[in-house]
Amino acid sequence: MLEIKNLKASINDKLILKGLNLNIKDGELHAVMGPNGSGKSTLANVLSGKNGYEISGDLKFKGQSLAEIPVEERAQKGIFLAFQYPLEIPGVNTNNFLKTSLNSVRKATGKKELDTLSFLKLVKDKSLELGIDEKILSRQLNVGFSGGEKKKNEILQMKILDPAFSILDETDSGLDIDALKIIAKGVNSSRANNKSFLVITHYQRLLDYIKPDFVHVLSDGKIVKTGCSDLAKELEKTGYKKIN
Amino acid sequence: MIQNFEINSKQIDEIKKITTEEKNFRIKNLKLFNEVGFPHKRLEDWKFSDFKNIVDSNFDELDTASVTSNFNKIDLIKDFEHNYIFLVNGNLHSSNFNYEEKNKIKITPFDKSINYQLNKNPLVCLNHALAENGYSLEVDKNYKFKKVLVIYNVFTNDLKNKILNNKNKIKVNENSELHIIEYTVNNSKFRFINNAYENIILEKNSKLKNLYIQKSKNDGFFHKFIKNNLFLNSDYTNLIFSAGPKFHKLDIECDLMAQNAKCNILSALFLNNNEHNEIKTRINHLDSNCKSYQRVKNVLNSNSKGIFQGKIYVKDIAQKTDAYQLSKALLLTDSVEFNSKPELEIYADDVKCSHGSTSGSIDEESLHYLMTRGLNRKDSTKLLIKGFLNDVVEFIKNPSIKNFIETKLDQQINEN
């Protein structure tokens, strides 16, 4: 699904990712943990195609280089980023936005665009499945949403767009247990042989609900240790300092 | 290029059936206009719209003689049921009030009464001197319009180098309600200036909603001065969607003359391709417990220029005034200019007055967020523009009218 080789990324002449290697196969869920400032969000941003980074190294998605692929085409090809801080977009109705978004993705992949009725049915089903109040979808995108609502909205978007590869950038930060369970449910119910996940988190807590195939420790722009889910538990006890 | 544009008083001599008093008023205004000529940037109220320079660079000659033109019927708006008035080059042509009780409405051509105050705006002086066309509309007391009234403000295709001065009066009597959409349809192939003066009187407990929109982009130069007199508990809302012409300036003066009078002025403009659009307001809080609310949103693209000059004046007796003013501009390129001049002049001590003004470019982080959901840069930008203007559109409560306005705004944004 995703192959990263010797990825270096800098912003404003500051090198942040310093030769990162990561290989995520179809159906796998990888967790990336690491201290503040280790480059976790930069990794998420670079994978999503965000402007402003100087990048070198190999970045391949489904065997194709992502080097020249702009943000929206990455999304259309099936890369989804659940934001650490979802943006508030005043004046834009969440449902309208989601419909435009879904249809952009469907159009790009040669699928028929959904009409309003089918779209609303899809949204209703997915909200019900996750236990999310669909009323939030008739509001302006993320405007006045609580922290938890914003994160749940990200997961709902993920469910609706149904991407092949999802990156969750600290989606668990600031969530109560109930919201955390909804997020986990969203991820677990999406897991399939043709879907992969990269879950970026600070805490082992989320990994009690989402079982990763691999856990990586990112430190100073590189993956310094890889293990199974036990690694996360070990980190919880010892902290990152020992790893370094 | 026009040098020393002056109006000859012979033109006033040619106006038929006028009293000596009216003639003197016109001559006085003519003199006032001729002293200054077209307003220029050295006049404080015109510092951001150098009209003299704009006229000089767009007209080789100008002619103030009135015109009679052939009017070919235009298509009516089909999106919602409405009453209508046709104005042709500012002249009242016809009206249709089929949805209303006709005896409750009085519509007449140009009102000749001259109880207008002198004004320091040279274009108002020019209007006072020369206006012969227009309409006067009066709604009887205790009558609420059932359907909206569309004023088709049509300009014919033969208005080369003309200055058209017209004057309108709208009076809504006690406990009555009126909703107007002024829909400007400029069919002129040539450049011309329309210089209008409007007097709006809202009597006790009356309501007027007035929405301005242009049918399409055009080469017109529009200036309109609106004088509002709002009496006890009356409610005036002005929604401005007047993007489109080469030049547009609305100069709105609102006198909140008695307690609990309310005035809302809102605008949502998408300015493009060298358009110049100014909204200037002066809200006079002259009695206590009155409320004014102003929200001005401009999106500027491709060499356009937007201006908001808003003044709130609170008289010493106007205690418990609640006045709010906000101007926000979204600048899409480096080639645009937005000027904002908020002013407060307050002589009462128990008031709530606030104002704010911001301008900035499209937020790259928001764009990125939308693009990560598969929307391209252009569509994401459009979505953000619509979102930016949306809170003004939300003021329209009638769904069909709202949809009509949204479609017009979409057209403007999509031409981008």
Side-chain angles (χ1 to χ4, degrees):
Chain A
M1 181 74 71
L2 186 79
E3 285 171 75
I4 305 174
K5 266 188 210 152
N6 195 26
L7 177 67
K8 290 179 183 166
S10 54
I11 190 161
N12 301 329
D13 292 330
K14 191 177 178 222
L15 191 63
I16 300 190
L17 298 181
K18 300 174 177 172
L20 185 142
N21 295 298
L22 183 64
N23 201 348
I24 299 177
K25 295 203 177 78
D26 288 4
E28 288 180 352
L29 189 146
H30 290 231
V32 170
M33 302 180 77
N36 292 327
S38 59
K40 299 188 301 296
S41 286
T42 299
L43 175 62
N45 285 338
V46 167
L47 290 175
S48 76
K50 191 173 184 187
N51 287 337
Y53 292 96
E54 286 277 338
I55 291 165
S56 70
D58 271 354
L59 202 54
K60 275 187 187 159
F61 178 64
K62 292 184 176 173
Q64 191 193 3
S65 167
L66 287 176
E68 301 295 321
I69 312 278
V71 185
E72 71 272 25
E73 280 180 36
R74 293 185 191 202
Q76 290 161 2
K77 285 178 188 300
I79 297 179
F80 179 88
L81 169 63
F83 278 59
Q84 184 180 0
Y85 303 110
L87 280 104
E88 297 194 7
I89 316 279
V92 174
N93 176 281
T94 308
N95 255 331
N96 289 348
F97 155 68
L98 264 177
K99 183 169 170 251
T100 317
S101 161
L102 176 63
N103 280 334
S104 303
V105 172
R106 289 181 69 95
K107 207 171 147 188
T109 49
K111 287 186 191 145
K112 207 175 149 235
E113 291 182 38
L114 283 192
D115 59 30
T116 307
L117 272 181
S118 331
F119 170 76
L120 289 176
K121 189 179 177 305
L122 175 73
V123 169
K124 206 181 171 103
D125 291 349
K126 297 292 175 192
S127 319
L128 208 66
E129 187 187 325
L130 292 177
I132 292 174
D133 186 353
E134 60 174 318
K135 271 193 211 122
I136 66 168
L137 300 171
S138 54
R139 285 160 52 185
Q140 297 179 23
L141 187 52
N142 293 328
V143 177
F145 284 27
S146 70
E149 281 174 329
K150 282 182 186 167
K151 298 293 179 81
K152 283 191 258 179
N153 190 19
E154 294 289 289
I155 295 305
L156 181 62
Q157 290 179 41
M158 181 186 87
K159 290 294 284 182
I160 289 169
L161 295 177
D162 196 26
F165 178 58
S166 303
I167 308 154
L168 277 68
D169 186 9
E170 294 193 32
T171 303
D172 55 329
S173 303
L175 291 188
D176 60 32
I177 284 292
D178 295 334
L180 197 67
K181 282 182 181 166
I182 289 181
I183 303 297
K185 196 174 173 186
V187 173
N188 291 330
S189 64
S190 301
R191 290 195 69 173
N193 289 338
N194 59 352
K195 293 204 162 64
S196 308
F197 295 84
L198 177 64
V199 177
I200 295 169
T201 180
H202 265 300
Y203 309 104
Q204 193 266 332
R205 192 176 66 147
L206 177 68
L207 304 178
D208 286 342
Y209 300 97
I210 298 174
K211 206 103 193 105
D213 298 303
F214 296 95
V215 175
H216 309 276
V217 178
L218 185 64
S219 177
D220 194 25
K222 279 182 183 175
I223 287 180
V224 292
K225 193 163 185 178
T226 294
C228 56
S229 55
D230 290 346
L231 177 58
K233 286 185 184 124
E234 189 191 323
L235 285 168
E236 191 84 353
K237 277 192 210 136
T238 59
Y240 293 112
K241 277 201 173 138
K242 279 227 162 139
I243 304 286
N244 288 339
Chain B
M1 175 103 182
I2 295 167
Q3 294 292 340
N4 302 326
F5 181 79
E6 264 196 32
I7 311 281
N8 195 314
S9 65
K10 250 171 51 188
Q11 229 180 295
I12 293 175
D13 296 336
E14 285 162 13
I15 300 174
K16 285 169 197 141
K17 290 186 197 162
I18 59 173
T19 61
T20 320
E21 195 191 4
E22 185 189 340
K23 190 167 177 177
N24 290 341
F25 178 76
R26 285 177 181 272
I27 286 172
K28 199 188 261 176
N29 275 288
L30 186 70
K31 277 189 187 147
L32 286 171
F33 173 79
N34 282 338
E35 275 167 25
V36 184
F38 285 119
H40 46 74
K41 64 180 177 192
R42 291 190 305 282
L43 301 173
E44 185 64 21
D45 289 347
W46 292 84
K47 66 193 285 189
F48 304 115
S49 296
D50 191 344
F51 195 65
K52 185 180 185 316
N53 186 36
I54 289 167
V55 169
D56 281 350
S57 39
N58 286 283
F59 293 91
D60 292 326
E61 52 179 322
L62 272 169
D63 171 11
T64 54
S66 59
V67 282
T68 35
S69 302
N70 289 327
F71 165 56
N72 301 317
K73 273 255 176 214
I74 60 153
D75 293 337
L76 296 179
I77 295 167
K78 294 192 178 70
D79 304 56
F80 46 88
E81 293 177 329
H82 59 278
N83 307 284
Y84 59 84
I85 292 176
F86 270 113
L87 301 178
V88 180
N89 301 332
N91 219 345
L92 178 65
H93 176 276
S94 53
S95 61
N96 181 315
F97 290 97
N98 281 349
Y99 293 101
E100 311 300 330
E101 292 173 36
K102 289 178 184 122
N103 61 343
K104 302 286 185 187
I105 302 149
K106 201 163 93 189
I107 174 97
T108 51
F110 181 62
D111 180 17
K112 284 205 163 218
S113 63
I114 52 145
N115 51 351
Y116 300 109
Q117 288 164 352
L118 289 175
N119 191 297
K120 63 177 180 174
N121 179 341
L123 289 182
V124 173
C125 301
L126 180 68
N127 184 291
H128 282 340
L130 298 180
E132 288 181 81
N133 292 326
Y135 69 91
S136 172
L137 172 72
E138 185 167 350
V139 183
D140 213 352
K141 58 183 176 184
N142 305 318
Y143 185 73
K144 292 187 168 86
F145 260 62
K146 296 180 182 67
K147 301 280 177 193
V148 64
L149 165 65
V150 176
I151 297 176
Y152 290 93
N153 193 15
V154 184
F155 294 91
T156 54
N157 59 8
D158 51 354
L159 298 174
K160 196 171 183 179
N161 299 336
K162 290 282 175 198
I163 306 183
L164 306 171
N165 293 288
N166 54 286
K167 196 172 243 144
N168 311 319
K169 184 173 169 185
I170 298 166
K171 185 172 183 188
V172 185
N173 281 305
E174 262 181 66
N175 304 317
S176 293
E177 279 182 25
L178 174 63
H179 183 183
I180 291 177
I181 295 177
E182 187 182 308
Y183 186 58
T184 299
V185 183
N186 180 5
N187 294 325
S188 179
K189 292 185 214 100
F190 306 103
R191 290 175 184 168
F192 67 93
I193 298 171
N194 179 227
N195 180 30
Y197 180 98
E198 203 156 273
N199 186 200
I200 292 172
I201 301 157
L202 297 191
E203 293 291 351
K204 198 166 106 181
N205 298 325
S206 68
K207 255 189 194 176
L208 173 69
K209 224 189 266 178
N210 209 347
L211 189 154
Y212 295 102
I213 188 153
Q214 299 263 335
K215 187 184 178 204
S216 54
K217 289 215 158 306
N218 64 79
D219 263 354
F221 293 73
F222 292 89
H223 170 262
K224 188 175 204 172
F225 180 85
I226 308 169
K227 175 80 188 177
N228 296 285
N229 300 102
L230 309 184
F231 292 93
L232 189 75
N233 208 24
S234 62
D235 189 338
Y236 171 67
T237 298
N238 199 344
L239 291 160
I240 304 162
F241 301 97
S242 55
K246 263 188 122 55
F247 176 88
H248 197 281
K249 177 166 176 167
L250 272 183
D251 187 344
I252 303 169
E253 197 170 306
C254 216
D255 286 353
L256 298 158
M257 308 187 53
Q259 289 195 21
N260 295 314
K262 283 193 273 308
C263 150
N264 299 305
I265 295 172
L266 299 108
S267 88
L269 302 175
F270 182 83
L271 304 176
N272 209 351
N273 300 334
N274 298 300
E275 276 177 55
H276 182 123
N277 195 307
E278 171 165 352
I279 295 172
K280 177 180 168 288
T281 63
R282 184 188 166 107
I283 313 293
N284 295 317
H285 281 260
L286 305 176
D287 203 347
S288 56
N289 290 299
C290 292
K291 201 170 169 178
S292 67
Y293 180 90
Q294 300 179 74
R295 177 175 282 264
V296 172
K297 292 281 192 86
N298 276 277
V299 180
L300 296 108
N301 193 30
S302 174
N303 296 305
S304 61
K305 183 171 174 178
I307 299 122
F308 175 64
Q309 299 198 69
K311 179 164 183 169
I312 298 168
Y313 169 88
V314 182
K315 201 178 170 181
D316 53 1
I317 57 161
Q319 301 295 359
K320 305 280 178 199
T321 283
D322 184 354
Y324 175 87
Q325 185 197 85
L326 178 71
S327 152
K328 278 189 167 187
L330 186 59
L331 317 176
L332 299 184
T333 69
D334 291 342
S335 65
V336 302
E337 184 180 328
F338 182 73
N339 296 288
S340 170
K341 195 180 99 179
E343 265 183 287
L344 299 176
E345 193 178 330
I346 303 170
Y347 297 100
D349 52 15
D350 184 14
V351 301
K352 199 169 105 188
C353 286
S354 54
H355 69 87
S357 180
T358 62
S359 55
S361 48
I362 288 264
D363 177 39
E364 282 295 326
E365 296 291 327
S366 302
L367 263 185
H368 176 66
Y369 182 64
L370 298 179
M371 288 165 77
T372 60
R373 302 303 186 246
L375 276 70
N376 64 31
R377 193 175 180 89
K378 202 173 172 183
D379 290 341
S380 305
T381 306
K382 279 184 197 167
L383 207 58
L384 291 176
I385 293 171
K386 279 189 224 170
F388 177 78
L389 298 175
N390 180 66
D391 56 356
V392 173
V393 180
E394 284 299 316
F395 262 74
I396 306 171
K397 297 296 169 224
N398 179 316
S400 335
I401 296 174
K402 187 170 159 188
N403 190 35
F404 174 74
I405 297 297
E406 277 174 335
T407 311
K408 286 271 170 216
L409 273 176
D410 277 0
Q411 277 168 11
Q412 291 172 1
I413 295 165
N414 288 335
E415 276 170 20
N416 163 19

